[in-house]
Amino acid sequence: MADGLNWYRATPFNKPKLMNSRTRVPAMHIWSDGDKALLEKAARNTGNYVDAEYRFEVERGATHWMPDQCPATIADLLLDWLGSHPIAAAGASPDFSPARE
């Protein structure tokens, strides 16, 4: 339970300046059309905060708990994404600092 709560504690809801910050790190968002916690408009708008390659995937028929419901699909998407972004293999050091508008 503590791990799940810590994830929410780490989100910038209590830091308004960070709410609209952007990232320059390539990102993939996997969303499910049965997710009641994150609706489609919000999920799709996530890409507006990424100043790098961004990939949006929709898992049909799953809910918010995709890793439990379709682990093979999620694993395949992650392996494909991580395989096309070999940061460690290339010896590159990604810039994790927030992008400025």
Side-chain angles (χ1 to χ4, degrees):
M1 180 92 161
D3 291 336
L5 291 174
N6 286 338
W7 186 89
Y8 287 101
R9 287 182 186 125
T11 58
F13 299 129
N14 61 345
K15 299 174 186 145
K17 288 177 112 178
L18 295 178
M19 287 294 289
N20 292 317
S21 63
R22 305 172 69 80
T23 184
R24 294 182 296 226
V25 177
M28 177 174 61
H29 186 137
I30 307 170
W31 175 77
S32 59
D33 61 356
D35 193 330
K36 302 297 183 211
L38 181 62
L39 300 181
E40 184 173 5
K41 182 177 180 180
R44 289 194 180 277
N45 283 339
T46 300
N48 296 334
Y49 297 91
V50 181
D51 293 332
E53 181 183 355
Y54 180 74
R55 179 173 163 186
F56 185 81
E57 293 285 342
V58 177
E59 181 58 30
R60 305 233 176 259
T63 68
H64 186 72
W65 309 106
M66 291 180 291
D68 291 328
Q69 296 172 331
C70 45
T73 301
I74 301 302
D76 287 345
L77 287 168
L78 289 171
L79 288 170
D80 180 61
W81 178 258
L82 295 171
S84 64
H85 297 86
I87 293 171
S93 178
D95 180 2
F96 290 109
S97 61
R100 301 288 177 220
E101 291 186 39

